[in-house]
Amino acid sequence: MIIVLKKNAGEKEVDNIRKKVETLGLGIHVSKGEERTIIGVIGDESIIRNQPLAALPCVEKVMPILKPYKLVSREFKPENSVIDLDGVAIGGNKIAVIAGPCSVESADSLLEIATGVQQAGATCLRGGAFKPRTSPYAFQGLGEEGLKYLAEARQKTGLKVITELMDPRDTELLVKYADVIQIGARNMQNFRLLTEVGQHKKPVLLKRGMSSTIKELLMSAEYIMSQGNYNVILCERGIRTFEDYTRNTLDLSAIPVIKELSHLPVVVDPSHAVGRWELVLPMTKAAIAAGADGLMIEVHNDPGNALSDGTQSLLPAKFANLMNEIKTVAAAVGREI
Amino acid sequence: MIIVLKKNAGEKEVDNIRKKVETLGLGIHVSKGEERTIIGVIGDESIIRNQPLAALPCVEKVMPILKPYKLVSREFKPENSVIDLDGVAIGGNKIAVIAGPCSVESADSLLEIATGVQQAGATCLRGGAFKPRTSPYAFQGLGEEGLKYLAEARQKTGLKVITELMDPRDTELLVKYADVIQIGARNMQNFRLLTEVGQHKKPVLLKRGMSSTIKELLMSAEYIMSQGNYNVILCERGIRTFEDYTRNTLDLSAIPVIKELSHLPVVVDPSHAVGRWELVLPMTKAAIAAGADGLMIEVHNDPGNALSDGTQSLLPAKFANLMNEIKTVAAAVGREI
Amino acid sequence: MIIVLKKNAGEKEVDNIRKKVETLGLGIHVSKGEERTIIGVIGDESIIRNQPLAALPCVEKVMPILKPYKLVSREFKPENSVIDLDGVAIGGNKIAVIAGPCSVESADSLLEIATGVQQAGATCLRGGAFKPRTSPYAFQGLGEEGLKYLAEARQKTGLKVITELMDPRDTELLVKYADVIQIGARNMQNFRLLTEVGQHKKPVLLKRGMSSTIKELLMSAEYIMSQGNYNVILCERGIRTFEDYTRNTLDLSAIPVIKELSHLPVVVDPSHAVGRWELVLPMTKAAIAAGADGLMIEVHNDPGNALSDGTQSLLPAKFANLMNEIKTVAAAVGREI
Amino acid sequence: MIIVLKKNAGEKEVDNIRKKVETLGLGIHVSKGEERTIIGVIGDESIIRNQPLAALPCVEKVMPILKPYKLVSREFKPENSVIDLDGVAIGGNKIAVIAGPCSVESADSLLEIATGVQQAGATCLRGGAFKPRTSPYAFQGLGEEGLKYLAEARQKTGLKVITELMDPRDTELLVKYADVIQIGARNMQNFRLLTEVGQHKKPVLLKRGMSSTIKELLMSAEYIMSQGNYNVILCERGIRTFEDYTRNTLDLSAIPVIKELSHLPVVVDPSHAVGRWELVLPMTKAAIAAGADGLMIEVHNDPGNALSDGTQSLLPAKFANLMNEIKTVAAAVGREI
C-alpha cells in the first residue's frame, strides 16, 4: 500500500503513520520527493486494507497495490475452474446452454418449453419460481409449486435445473430442487444470501449487479467461496448505462477481463441485457466469440402472453435456429456447443 | 396506454390486438396516420400494464400514460406525509437530523458519539449492527449486541434509533430494538425484505439504490405500502456515475422531483454520497436548500480508527459546527432544525 | 405525437392546444379517459417535433411517435449502404480492416507499421496527424507533415488513408490527403465540423461520442447527410460507464441496433474501447460475430515508446496473428476478411 | 509515479525500466515486496506522465502521484480568482446572476427579456446566436444578427453579454460582441476552440461536458490558461446518468470539489441540468448553498413558443420571484446576490 501525504505534511505526520502501521505489525518506507512525501507500507497488505487511513488529515490519497480478493483470483488458482453439475460441465471446452422461460407459469407450458430447448441442444433449464419484480402488482412467481414443475421437467428431459433464490429462508428448498442456485443481479450484494449459499456445496450462478463493477462481482463471489463453496459460476447480464434503446448494455469485455483476473467460468445472459428478442442472436454469437463458457437464453412458447419478460423471449423454433447458427461460431473459436 | 404499430401492420394485426385487449375487459381506439397506426387502450391501465404487448411482432413500441405506482403518489394523497417516531416527526416543518457512526463498534464509543450529537441538536441516532460490506474480510457488525448498545444509548440520550435490516430473519429483532428500520441502498430491490417490513407498522427509511431511478425507488416504497405499512421515509444517498472523485454523485434534484411525484418525506445522506468528510458541510447545506426533510450524517469520535467509513465521518466538534451553520440555511427556506 | 394533459386540465386547455396545433396546419384528436385527457396530433410530426409543448403548464408529457431522423433511417433506404473508397468497400460482405498507429510519429515508423498491416491483410491505414489530447502538454500531432507521411505510405502500400479532422479550417487539407475523414468521439456533436464535411463527397467515419446514445449518433450522421454527403460510416468505440477496469465499455449491441434503424455501415474500434492490448483480440472477434462491417485496430512497432495510446496498441506480429484468427470467425457468420 | 510490476517480473525487467527512466533524466527506487516489486520514479513527474509505461509487458499498473494540471490548481495559486467583466466580478463575495433566453430569437423579445431580468437583479445576459442543436432540422440561431441584438440589449440595459462560440472561425466576431465567451458542454473537449479562446484575454465560461469528469474539466481549463488567458470561469450544468426524469443530473458536489482543487470561480446552470422550469428554483437555492459563485438561468417571455429549451425557461415574473427568494439563502451562507 502506498500512502501519499499532503504537500504540507512533515515529520510529525510521518511519525503518526509509522506508529499506526507498526501497531499492526507492519513497517514503512518513507520517500521524500520535492512535491510530496510518499510512504510505502511493508508487509501483508490485507492487514491494513480496511484501515481508514484516508481519514487522517495529512493523507492525500491511499493507493492499494494488490487486489482485495483472493480465492476467486487466478493468482490463487492459475487453471480454469470447471463446475460439474452432475454430468454437465460449465467452464470446459464445451459451451453450456441454459434455456427456458423467465418465470415458471404452469407445468404444461414449462414442459413444452423444456422439451423444445432440450431437443434443440440445451443442457440446462432456467425458470423462476421466485421472481424479483419491480412492481408489487406484477406476477411474483409460483413459489414451491414452480420448483416442483421444474423438477418434473428435469425428470422428463434430463435437463439440469437452474432457478433463483431471493430469500435466505428458502435456501434449503432450493438446495433440494435445483441443480444450480441463481443469485440475481438485484441480490449480487445481498451479503446474507451469499453467505447462505456459501454454506452448501450446490453450484451457484452469480449474476453481476446492474451497476456493479467487475471487482465488486469478484468480491461477491469471494463471499460465497470464503464460506467454503467453490462451485461459483459468474454471469454477465448487462449493466445500466445512459443508453436506453436496449434494456441494459451487455459488457462483453467483462469476459476476457474476468478470465484474466479469475479462474471462475463466465456465462452470458444476452436476453436480459438487450431486452428485445431480435437482438438475442447476434449478441449470443458475440458472447461466444468473446470467450463465454455458457449462455443463458430466455425461451417461451407464447411470448405475447408471457407473465414476465415476453419481449425478450425467443420462440422455441427461433431458439432451435439460434442453436444451429452458433455452432460454427463456437467452432471458429475452438469451442463446442 | 398507447400502442404504436410497425409501418407494415394492417387490419389483421389491429384485430389481434383488439381481441387481446377486449379479453381483458378493455376497449381500443384506432387512429390510422400516414406513417403509423396508433392504438389507444381505453379503460383501467393497470390491467394491461404488465402485458408483454411489445413482444408481438407487429408492435413498434408501447407507451404507458399513467405512473405504475399508486399509494406513494401525490395524486393518491395530495398532502405531505409526516412520519411520527414517537415524538420526533419527519416530514414536517422541522428538519430531522439523524447522526451517528457508520457501525456500532462498542458501547462506550457509541455513547460518546450519541451524547455528542444529541448535545449538538440531533434527534435521531444512526449506527449499524448488521453491516453490508463489499468484502467478506471486513468488519460485519456486532449483531444483536450492537442493537443493545443502541437501545442503551437511546435510553441515556433520548435519541431515536435508526439501524439497518439486512436479512428478513432479523426483522422481529429490529422491530424490537429500532425506532426506524433502514433498508440500505444495496437492498432497495430486495423485495422480500420490503415485503417483510411492510407487514409491521414500524417506520422504514428506504435508501435509493446506487443505480436506481427515482421511479424504481417509488416502486420499492410501493412494495412496503402495499403490505399496509404507510410509514415510509425515502432517502437520497448518491447515485453511481462515471465521476470518481466523489464516492457517489449526490442527486439533489431527486428531492423536488420526489416532492412532485409523492407525498412521502425525503431524507438526504450526504456522507455516503460524497465519501469524504470535507465535502459533507456544503452538501448538507445544499440538501436543506433543495428541500430535504431530514439529514443523515456520519459522526465518529475517532475517524482514523473507525471500523467502517472513517473517511467520510465528522468528528463530534465538526458536527456541532455543522449544526450551527445549517440553522440559517434552514431558516432561509422557511424551515427549522 | 401524443400529448398527455395533467389531471386537472379541462376544455380551455384542450382548446389552447387545438389552436396552437391548427396554426401549424395540423389537426388533433381528443380522447378523454377517466384519469387523463390525451391529444393525438394528426399530420406531419416533423412540423411539431421541435415545439416546446411540454412548456405549457397543462401538459404532463409529450410522446413522439416517429424517429427524429430521416436520411439515415432504414425506412428511408431499406437496403444496406456500401461506401466505396476507390476500390475498398465498407458495408459489403467483406469486412474492412483499418489498422495503424494512434498518431503519425515519423515517416519511417509509419511506413514500417503500414507495411506490416498491409502484409497482414489490412486494407486501410489509420493514423492521426491532428490529435485531440486531454492534456495541453501531451503530443498534439505532426499536422500537415503527418498527412504527407500518410500519403507517402498510401503510395507505397496501396492502403487507403483515414485520419481525423479536428478543425473546420483544416477540411480542405484533409479532403486533399485522406480517403476517409474521421470525426472523433469528442467531436460527434461538433455540429460545425459535421456541416463542413457534409459539403464534400469524401467518405466520413463518424465515431460515437463517449456518452452519446445511438439516437444521437444517428442524428449527427443526419447532419452530414442533410448537407448532401451520403458517404457516412458509423463507428462504435466504447461508451463511458461506471466500470473502470476497461477504458470504456464496448457496446456491441449497438451494431444490430444500428442495422435495424439505419442502412449505414458500422465499424468497431475495440482498441479505444478496452484501452489494453490484451483485450483487443477477443473483442475483435466479438465485434465480427455481432455483425460489424469493419474494424479499426491500433498497431504500433514500439508500443512502449508510442507518443499516444501505446497501452492499447498491438505489435505488428500480434496484429498478423489477429488477422489470422479472425478469418474463421468471419466465415462462421458468412463474412470474409 | 509508482510502477507496480507483475508478479513474475525479475531483475531484467527492473533494469529495462531503470534505463528507460534514466534516459528521461529521472531516477528510480526499487522496493521488492513478497507479492510485488514496486518502482518509485524520482524526479519531475511531468516528464514521465505521458510515457506509455503500462504498455510494457512486465507492468501491472502505473499510479501517478501528482495532478496532471498546473495553472488551474489551487496549489499553483492558493487564493480564489475573481474574473472581472468590466465592472461585474465573478468569483467574489457577490454571486453573479446570468439570465436570458436559450437562443436570441428577435431584437424585441430579447430586449423585453433583458429588461425584465435586469430589473429583477441579474447583471449578465445570456443568449445564443450560434446554437448547437442535436437535429439539423432545428433552429440553428440567428448568427451575427443575434450578436448585434445582444449588443443592443447591453447598451440599453447595462447587462454584460455572454454567448456561445461553436466555431474557431467565429472567434474574432465573439471577441468583438461578447463580454464573456461561452464554450458549451459539447465543445468542452474541442481542443482547437479552447486553444483559440486561450489566445485572447476575453473571459471564457467553460461548461462541463455532459460526461466529463471534474479532472477533465480542469484539464480543458488548463488548455485555455496554457495559452495565456487566465480569465476562465467554470460551469457545472449537469452530467449524463441513467436517471431520465431530469434532463441531466446536477452534480452540486462538483462545486466544493473544484473549490478544493482549483482557484477558478464556479457558475451553476440549473436550467439545463434539470430540463424543467418547475425544478429550477430549488436547485438554484441548492447551488448557492453548495458555494456557487454564479448562476445561469434561462428566462423567456413566451416559453410555450420558444425556439429552443422552452420547457426549462422561467417567465420573467417567476425569475423575479426567484431573485427574491434566493437572497436569504445567499445571506445564510455569507454571500450576497
Side-chain angles (χ1 to χ4, degrees), chain A residues 15-175:
Chain A
D15 277 349
N16 277 343
I17 291 179
R18 187 194 314 272
K19 278 178 211 146
K20 190 172 168 65
V21 169
E22 287 177 355
T23 310
L24 297 164
L26 305 170
I28 69 170
H29 172 270
V30 180
S31 165
K32 283 187 195 164
E34 272 179 53
E35 299 281 345
R36 292 287 187 284
T37 296
I38 296 168
I39 297 175
V41 178
I42 300 162
D44 182 355
E45 190 172 291
S46 70
I47 294 171
I48 201 169
R49 183 171 292 129
N50 293 308
Q51 291 288 321
L53 294 164
L56 301 175
C58 65
V59 173
E60 185 166 295
K61 59 178 169 180
V62 174
M63 304 187 297
I65 300 299
L66 300 177
K67 304 281 193 306
Y69 40 79
K70 183 185 165 197
L71 303 173
V72 301
S73 75
R74 196 170 277 282
E75 216 165 282
F76 178 74
K77 178 169 181 289
E79 67 279 11
N80 286 340
S81 284
V82 179
I83 311 300
D84 177 34
L85 318 180
D86 208 7
V88 169
I90 298 190
N93 192 60
K94 195 171 153 75
I95 297 170
V97 180
I98 304 159
C102 180
S103 305
V104 177
E105 299 178 10
S106 74
D108 286 353
S109 72
L110 182 66
L111 189 59
E112 184 182 335
I113 297 166
T115 307
V117 303
Q118 189 269 334
Q119 284 169 356
T123 51
C124 303
L125 176 66
R126 61 152 294 155
F130 301 106
K131 295 300 306 172
R133 302 301 300 276
T134 307
S135 168
Y137 309 122
F139 175 63
Q140 307 278 320
L142 296 179
E144 188 171 359
E145 196 188 344
L147 296 177
K148 286 179 182 161
Y149 298 162
L150 285 164
E152 284 169 32
R154 171 174 49 203
Q155 205 187 358
K156 289 182 180 156
T157 61
L159 294 168
K160 304 298 169 194
V161 162
I162 170 163
T163 192
E164 182 165 353
L165 174 67
M166 282 177 64
D167 190 324
R169 296 170 297 191
D170 297 328
T171 312
E172 294 300 334
L173 207 59
L174 271 275
V175 167

Side-chain angles (χ1 to χ4, degrees), chain C residues 6 20 49-57 68-71 130-140 166-171 186-187 189-192 196 210-213 215-216 219-220 222-223 226 240 277-278 302-312, chain D residues 6 20 49-57 68-71 130-140 166-171 186-187 189-192 196 210-213 215-216 219-220 222-223 226-227 240 277-278 303-312:
Chain C
K6 285 189 179 155
K20 191 172 167 64
R49 181 170 293 129
N50 294 308
Q51 291 288 321
L53 294 165
L56 301 175
Y69 41 79
K70 183 184 165 198
L71 303 172
F130 301 107
K131 295 300 305 171
R133 303 301 300 276
T134 307
S135 167
Y137 309 121
F139 176 61
Q140 307 278 319
M166 282 178 64
D167 189 323
R169 294 170 297 191
D170 296 329
T171 313
R186 285 173 184 78
N187 282 314
Q189 291 193 320
N190 182 337
F191 301 116
R192 288 302 180 88
E196 198 72 31
M210 73 179 87
S211 69
S212 298
T213 61
K215 191 173 89 173
E216 289 167 342
M219 290 304 287
S220 286
E222 186 86 10
Y223 254 95
S226 70
R240 180 162 273 188
W277 68 265
E278 299 95 326
D302 184 8
N305 288 300
L307 295 179
S308 59
D309 284 350
T311 308
Q312 69 204 29
Chain D
K6 286 189 179 155
K20 191 172 166 67
R49 182 171 294 128
N50 294 308
Q51 291 287 321
L53 295 165
L56 300 175
Y69 42 80
K70 184 185 164 198
L71 304 173
F130 302 106
K131 294 302 304 173
R133 303 301 299 276
T134 307
S135 167
Y137 309 121
F139 176 62
Q140 306 279 320
M166 283 178 64
D167 189 323
R169 296 170 296 192
D170 296 329
T171 313
R186 287 173 183 79
N187 283 313
Q189 292 193 317
N190 182 336
F191 301 116
R192 289 299 180 89
E196 198 73 31
M210 73 179 88
S211 70
S212 299
T213 60
K215 191 174 90 173
E216 289 168 341
M219 289 305 286
S220 286
E222 186 86 10
Y223 254 95
S226 70
Q227 297 294 319
R240 180 162 273 188
W277 68 265
E278 298 95 326
N305 288 301
L307 295 179
S308 60
D309 285 349
T311 308
Q312 69 202 30

Side-chain angles (χ1 to χ4, degrees), chain C residues 123-148:
Chain C
T123 51
C124 302
L125 176 66
R126 62 152 292 154
F130 301 107
K131 295 300 305 171
R133 303 301 300 276
T134 307
S135 167
Y137 309 121
F139 176 61
Q140 307 278 319
L142 296 178
E144 186 169 1
E145 197 188 342
L147 296 177
K148 285 178 183 162

